[in-house]
Amino acid sequence: MSPTSMNSLLTTLSLLSTFFASPAVAQTWTSCNPLNTTDCPTNPALSTEHTYHFTNSSIGTTWNQTAGSLKYTQDGGAHFTISTRGDAPTIQSEYYLFGGELEVWMRAATGTGVVSSIVLQSEDLDEVDWEILGGNTTHIQSNYFGKGNTTSYDRAIWHPSSFQPQDDFHNYTTRWTKDELE
C-alpha cells in the first residue's frame, strides 16, 4: 500500500470515509466554535512533516477513531466498515495544520449512496474536502465551505477521472499556501 503522508496544512484533518450521503450533514461539527465563544481551548499544531501508515492501530495519539468500525491490515491499510445504514466510520487528527501539502492514498468504497471523503475542517467550520461517490466511477468532487455556511452547494467541482477510484489506491493531494488552494 502507498503511504498516507502529511505535511503541514491549514486546519484539522478528518478522514471521513465511506459514509451514507443522507447523514452527511452530521459529519460537520466542532467541539468549541470560536465564532460563538471566546473560551475555546488552544489546540496543538502539527508544524513539521509526518508520514502515517495506517497498517496497524498503533498510530499513536495523533489520530482518534471518532465513529464506526476500523480494521487495519498490512497490505490495505485502514478499512472503514459500514455495517448498517447511516454508519460513518471516521478518524480525526489531534492537530491543526498550518499551510503546506497533504497527500492521502485512498481506495474509495463502492456502492450507491456511499461517500468516501477526505475533509479538512477548522473549529469555526471552514472546510475543504474531496468526495468520491461509491456509484460514480468517472468523477471525483472537491468542495469548500466557510464558517459552517452550508446554505450554498454551488462550489463543488466535479473532476473527470481517468481511473476508477474504487478499484485501486490513488493519490489525493491538496496544496495550501497563503495565496491559493490547489
Side-chain angles (χ1 to χ4, degrees):
M1 178 183 140
S2 299
T4 300
S5 64
M6 168 166 46
N7 294 340
S8 304
L9 213 94
L10 176 64
T11 140
T12 297
L13 169 67
S14 295
L15 293 177
L16 304 174
S17 183
T18 64
F19 60 86
F20 283 90
S22 57
V25 173
Q27 300 304 309
T28 300
W29 62 276
T30 180
S31 59
C32 188
N33 188 333
L35 298 176
N36 299 332
T37 184
T38 58
D39 61 348
C40 292
T42 302
N43 293 303
L46 181 65
S47 60
T48 187
E49 183 175 328
H50 286 276
T51 299
Y52 298 97
H53 297 268
F54 292 93
T55 56
N56 63 54
S57 60
S58 63
I59 50 179
T61 59
T62 304
W63 298 92
N64 290 322
Q65 182 176 338
T66 60
S69 173
L70 278 92
K71 180 175 91 175
Y72 298 92
T73 66
Q74 289 299 311
D75 62 342
H79 292 255
F80 296 75
T81 302
I82 296 175
S83 299
T84 62
R85 182 180 180 89
D87 279 359
T90 304
I91 58 174
Q92 180 178 14
S93 165
E94 281 293 310
Y95 296 96
Y96 282 77
L97 309 166
F98 295 98
E101 181 176 292
L102 172 81
E103 179 180 315
V104 175
W105 287 83
M106 179 175 75
R107 178 173 46 213
T110 60
T112 302
V114 177
V115 179
S116 299
S117 60
I118 303 160
V119 178
L120 304 168
Q121 181 179 302
S122 66
E123 289 291 340
D124 65 1
L125 302 179
D126 288 337
E127 177 182 318
V128 175
D129 61 52
W130 291 91
E131 296 181 357
I132 301 102
L133 304 180
N136 187 334
T137 60
T138 62
H139 288 79
I140 298 164
Q141 177 188 340
S142 63
N143 208 340
Y144 69 93
F145 298 97
K147 309 301 182 229
N149 182 348
T150 57
T151 59
S152 174
Y153 289 91
D154 62 353
R155 295 179 219 103
I157 298 172
W158 288 93
H159 307 275
S161 176
S162 60
F163 56 87
Q164 292 190 355
Q166 299 85 356
D167 288 349
D168 203 358
F169 287 92
H170 299 281
N171 181 341
Y172 301 91
T173 299
T174 300
R175 291 176 189 86
W176 198 319
T177 68
K178 66 181 181 75
D179 299 316
E180 72 179 340
L181 176 68
E182 65 171 314

